[in-house]
Amino acid sequence: MFLIKARYIFVCDEDFTILENKTLCFDENIVELGEFEKLALKYPQAKLIQIPPNSLILPAFINPHTHLEFSANSYTLHYGDFLVWLKSVINARSNLSQKAKEKLILNTMRSMLKSGTATIGEISSFASDLVACVKSPMRVVFFNEILGVNENANEVKKQDFLKRFYSSLKYKSENFIPAISLHSPYSLNKDLALFALEIAKKHDLLVSTHFLESDHEFKWLHHKGKGFEKWLRFFEPNPKPKFSPQSFLELFKGVRTLFTHCVYVKDFNHFDKNSHFITHCAVSNRLLSKARFPLKKALKAGMSVHLGTDGLSSNNSLSMLDEMRANLLIHQDFKPQDLAKELLLMATSKPAKALNLELGELKAGKIADISVFKVEECDLKQLPLQFILNAKKVEKIFIKGKECSF
Ligand code: MCF
Ligand code: FE
């Protein structure tokens, strides 16, 4: 059992409580928060962890949307338009994934740990990220991806998916959670989508999908525009949209699903609020989507929205701190001090809820995934904002109460 005496604590509860000069007692789970003297007496066997005097502790970040297989990308993929990007992905995909060997992926994960992230949702396209994700000390929700539009190839696609899915299932543990990603409404036919959702329901697995990310996708699903058609002709002779946005959404009724992007969603009332969550990837959207996700509108409609970085395929950083800084700059319809608190919840308690994990809040009983950052003396009202603006690297990070070295 351990005690950490902190100058500041971000509890990350709904009210965004900030504690001053309090102590956190934890083992694998959080035991209690309170006065140091009281906790030291109550838990005499607990070891005091040494941290710098001006430290802030908070729940470790959760990044529910990464593509580690694309970690070798910088300068290669083309940005500015989704179809231009997609063409560059098709051209460079095998080269990039060959370069993203276990060592590179583990180094990328280490840099995420250093920036305060303990849990990721990894979208795995080829399973070349499996070994690294199993070996890493990070907690990984491993979303095995399925995609395919041409029905003639369904059997091959199913077999390939099942092979990857069952090998991931062998490694299932508290820290490695197999799950399923249905790539998107434009890249899947109904038979493959239903097949994957059936498996998700049978094994009670989390589901992730990319949804209404680009203007091209919006037009294609509404039977308008030829951009996607030209690209999809590469896979089948006479491509037609397989879903409308609504008919795609309906497939996920009652299934705990993370909908990534949602930039072009017009009406958030079509989502099932109890089981649907939105992953907002601001930097990726800036590079590929030509529009900004309407955060205020989604929140007003009662959606639970959290942050994700997406992969290095559409970002220059997998740090949630960098992602929060980008969010602070683009969502000008919020006061910066208010947005800072919201963003911290969108990197901790909100993604924990979406992934159904007992994480993301410093409260007795939650799993002890904790990060420690050095900060400066600061007006309490300014602290969340100042922290996001200045923090880069943790002093310490604990996963299930165990300190990680990097
Ligand atoms: O989230 C971004 C942009 N939207 C869609 N897909 C991807 C992203 N980053 C990587 N991808 C992957 C995706 O998983 O690129 C491929 C899929 O395997 C594109 S579809 C041929
Ligand atoms: Fe993605």
Side-chain angles (χ1 to χ4, degrees), residues 185-294:
Y186 59 82
S187 62
L188 268 172
N189 62 55
K190 201 170 171 188
D191 182 46
L192 284 184
L194 290 174
F195 165 78
L197 283 168
E198 213 37 61
I199 299 174
K201 284 179 196 161
K202 184 173 153 206
H203 294 265
D204 195 19
L205 302 173
L206 290 158
V207 171
S208 177
T209 188
H210 296 86
F211 188 57
L212 290 177
E213 172 176 13
S214 67
D215 49 341
H216 297 291
E217 178 180 347
F218 182 86
K219 282 187 209 148
W220 174 243
L221 300 182
H222 288 89
H223 297 261
K224 286 177 194 140
K226 295 274 172 205
F228 248 103
E229 185 179 337
K230 224 172 110 193
W231 175 72
L232 286 165
R233 245 191 245 130
F234 194 67
F235 302 99
E236 56 177 352
N238 189 18
K240 291 269 176 300
K242 316 287 184 207
F243 301 100
S244 67
Q246 263 100 308
S247 71
F248 188 68
L249 268 189
E250 265 159 38
L251 300 179
F252 298 82
K253 232 181 210 155
V255 180
R256 185 176 281 267
T257 307
L258 281 70
F259 289 86
T260 301
H261 303 311
C262 300
V263 175
Y264 290 87
V265 169
K266 302 293 172 217
D267 186 350
F268 290 95
N269 291 315
H270 295 300
F271 287 96
D272 162 1
K273 304 270 160 53
N274 294 317
S275 43
H276 294 170
F277 304 86
I278 293 179
T279 308
H280 168 36
C281 303
V283 176
S284 176
N285 296 158
R286 176 70 180 110
L287 298 178
L288 310 185
S289 300
K290 298 202 197 114
R292 183 174 64 84
F293 171 69

Side-chain angles (χ1 to χ4, degrees), residues 27-28 38 44 63 70 82 118 132 147 191 220 246 251 260 351 378:
D27 46 26
E28 288 186 349
K38 197 182 137 212
N63 181 356
F70 290 84
F82 188 76
L147 94 193
D191 182 46
W220 174 243
Q246 263 100 308
L251 300 179
T260 301
C378 179

Side-chain angles (χ1 to χ4, degrees), residues 65 67 70 82 85-86 89-90 93 123 125-126 145 147 181 183 186-187 210 213 231 235 260-261 284 288 310-311 313-314:
H65 194 98
H67 294 264
F70 290 84
F82 188 76
W85 173 84
L86 205 49
V89 169
I90 305 291
R93 194 162 52 165
I123 312 297
S125 305
F126 328 107
E145 178 177 85
L147 94 193
S181 158
H183 180 259
Y186 59 82
S187 62
H210 296 86
E213 172 176 13
W231 175 72
F235 302 99
T260 301
H261 303 311
S284 176
L288 310 185
D310 223 336
S313 31
S314 54

Side-chain angles (χ1 to χ4, degrees), residues 19-194:
L19 302 175
E20 284 191 273
N21 303 315
K22 294 283 186 280
T23 293
L24 179 73
C25 176
F26 64 96
D27 46 26
E28 288 186 349
N29 294 323
I30 291 165
V31 176
E32 204 174 328
L33 290 110
E35 299 298 337
F36 173 73
E37 289 72 18
K38 197 182 137 212
L39 294 178
L41 267 179
K42 190 165 169 190
Y43 305 105
Q45 77 283 24
K47 187 174 161 242
L48 180 66
I49 291 172
Q50 296 302 327
I51 57 168
N54 263 342
S55 289
L56 162 72
I57 62 179
L58 75 161
F61 300 132
I62 299 165
N63 181 356
H65 194 98
T66 60
H67 294 264
L68 290 169
E69 290 163 313
F70 290 84
S71 293
N73 177 56
S74 60
Y75 290 92
T76 303
L77 298 178
H78 300 184
Y79 298 142
D81 176 88
F82 188 76
L83 289 173
V84 170
W85 173 84
L86 205 49
K87 192 170 168 207
S88 72
V89 169
I90 305 291
N91 289 334
R93 194 162 52 165
S94 71
N95 195 15
L96 283 176
S97 93
Q98 258 164 35
K99 280 197 206 156
K101 301 236 185 307
E102 187 186 318
K103 196 170 156 204
L104 179 75
I105 294 183
L106 278 168
N107 275 339
T108 309
M109 296 178 90
R110 205 165 295 127
S111 77
M112 275 191 269
L113 269 174
K114 281 187 199 165
S115 63
T117 301
T119 297
I120 61 167
E122 163 63 359
I123 312 297
S124 173
S125 305
F126 328 107
S128 57
D129 44 359
L130 175 66
V131 177
C133 287
V134 171
K135 281 190 184 170
S136 159
M138 291 182 106
R139 179 176 292 99
V140 180
V141 178
F142 194 78
F143 290 102
N144 293 283
E145 178 177 85
I146 187 161
L147 94 193
V149 278
N150 188 342
E151 302 210 345
N152 295 328
N154 276 7
E155 267 323 298
V156 180
K157 294 282 179 185
K158 286 179 188 176
Q159 289 315 315
D160 171 66
F161 169 80
L162 285 175
K163 198 170 145 213
R164 287 180 287 115
F165 171 66
Y166 282 115
S167 27
S168 77
L169 213 53
K170 275 190 233 147
Y171 295 101
K172 188 175 176 168
S173 73
E174 231 180 312
N175 257 18
F176 181 84
I177 303 157
I180 294 183
S181 158
L182 281 76
H183 180 259
S184 71
Y186 59 82
S187 62
L188 268 172
N189 62 55
K190 201 170 171 188
D191 182 46
L192 284 184
L194 290 174

Side-chain angles (χ1 to χ4, degrees), residues 251-359:
L251 300 179
F252 298 82
K253 232 181 210 155
V255 180
R256 185 176 281 267
T257 307
L258 281 70
F259 289 86
T260 301
H261 303 311
C262 300
V263 175
Y264 290 87
V265 169
K266 302 293 172 217
D267 186 350
F268 290 95
N269 291 315
H270 295 300
F271 287 96
D272 162 1
K273 304 270 160 53
N274 294 317
S275 43
H276 294 170
F277 304 86
I278 293 179
T279 308
H280 168 36
C281 303
V283 176
S284 176
N285 296 158
R286 176 70 180 110
L287 298 178
L288 310 185
S289 300
K290 298 202 197 114
R292 183 174 64 84
F293 171 69
L295 177 61
K296 195 163 245 180
K297 186 175 165 190
L299 292 176
K300 272 196 180 147
M303 290 304 297
S304 175
V305 185
H306 54 259
L307 302 179
T309 58
D310 223 336
L312 290 173
S313 31
S314 54
N315 204 327
N316 61 339
S317 166
L318 301 183
S319 160
M320 291 296 271
L321 289 160
D322 287 336
E323 196 66 27
M324 283 188 257
R325 286 189 270 274
N327 272 275
L328 268 181
L329 301 183
I330 64 164
H331 295 296
Q332 297 184 358
D333 44 351
F334 289 78
K335 280 190 202 152
Q337 298 94 311
D338 296 340
L339 182 57
K341 292 192 268 184
E342 188 63 43
L343 292 172
L344 284 159
L345 299 183
M346 287 167 76
T348 54
S349 60
K350 300 270 180 85
K353 186 174 159 221
L355 295 172
N356 206 17
L357 297 170
E358 283 300 316
L359 294 169

